[in-house]
Amino acid sequence: MKALLILLMTLSVGCTSAGTIPVMRTDGVARGRQDTAAGNLRQALPLLREGDIIFICFKHALYRRIAEISGSWESHVGILFRDSDGGWMVAASTIPVSKTTSLQRFVGRSENGRFLVRRLRGGLSPDAVTRLRAASDHRMGVMYDTGFRYDSPRQYCSKLVFDCYLEATGQGVGKVETFREMLAENPGAPVDFWRRWFFGRIPWERRCVTTTSQLHAANMITVFDSEIPASAADPKARKR
């Protein structure tokens, strides 16, 4: 059953990533959302630095369920780097394997093009960026872990970010906690869904790291939030 779900998820992810800012309908509302997403991306580009991490709300039922564990909006995260042509790409753990994709396509996978960018407090030195890229490159092509087990040799998106930062800077982003601790923090989480996902028995003591713990990590600052108009953003945060 889980193998079938993984296959369906892979096909769905492939469909949603076919375009850059996908438009499901041709009416004015969909076109307006596309324009808004593209405009947000243009505003963000001058603020980005290599090593920033970017959060999106992935257009997939499983990822929405993952977000519901912590009662937050985001469900996917990756690390920003420059490509060989000077453009922006995102390194992330995806189904079926971790890989890089263009920033535009990555944002295009998010609900309504929503995204948020965070940066390590104090920034990264050039040497740290080099180490972070090496740590990320080493983890490309690794199979996705549908069991979300931090101690597995496989990966999922928040684990990749956590491990890469820990290796490159000595600092983790977010926190490693058990399923019991995660679900206790959010009593409204879809426990029945996870019980079915784990074939009737949730691995309560399994360790995991969530995107939400990274979204609120104290050692990070927010550089850009597509939900906040540029005129209302904190100029101090942009300069850090």
Side-chain angles (χ1 to χ4, degrees), residues 2-177:
K2 188 176 287 189
L4 176 59
L5 286 173
I6 294 171
L7 175 61
L8 292 173
M9 288 158 59
T10 303
L11 292 173
S12 176
V13 170
C15 289
T16 59
S17 63
T20 52
I21 303 291
V23 179
M24 302 307 293
R25 298 175 297 166
T26 57
D27 59 27
V29 173
R31 182 62 62 183
R33 288 175 178 170
Q34 181 189 34
D35 292 343
T36 298
N40 287 334
L41 193 54
R42 284 193 297 270
Q43 287 183 12
L45 288 176
L47 307 174
L48 303 181
R49 295 181 191 170
E50 288 197 281
D52 289 349
I53 63 175
I54 180 169
F55 300 84
I56 62 173
C57 180
F58 209 17
K59 299 175 181 177
H60 196 284
L62 172 62
Y63 285 85
R64 291 193 188 100
R65 290 293 190 176
I66 293 170
E68 287 174 10
I69 285 183
S70 49
S72 192
W73 66 271
E74 84 300 327
S75 57
H76 195 40
V77 64
I79 307 175
L80 282 159
F81 294 107
R82 290 282 192 182
D83 61 25
S84 58
D85 297 321
W88 287 105
M89 64 179 184
V90 182
S93 180
T94 59
I95 298 169
V97 298
S98 49
K99 63 181 182 180
T100 60
T101 188
S102 72
L103 172 59
Q104 190 176 22
R105 178 168 291 184
F106 189 83
V107 170
R109 294 172 178 173
S110 188
E111 290 283 357
N112 300 322
R114 183 177 184 180
F115 66 99
L116 184 145
V117 180
R118 304 205 80 201
R119 177 176 301 150
L120 191 68
R121 192 175 294 277
L124 291 170
S125 68
D127 286 345
V129 171
T130 298
R131 293 193 300 270
L132 188 65
R133 182 187 287 270
S136 172
D137 289 346
H138 179 69
R139 290 168 173 81
M140 293 296 98
V142 177
M143 290 291 294
Y144 192 88
D145 180 15
T146 58
F148 307 105
R149 181 162 61 97
Y150 177 74
D151 299 296
S152 166
R154 295 189 176 189
Q155 291 179 156
Y156 48 92
C157 64
S158 46
K159 177 186 173 182
L160 182 145
V161 169
F162 186 92
D163 285 352
C164 286
Y165 261 84
L166 189 62
E167 180 177 323
T169 71
Q171 298 186 55
V173 177
K175 61 180 178 179
V176 178
E177 55 190 336

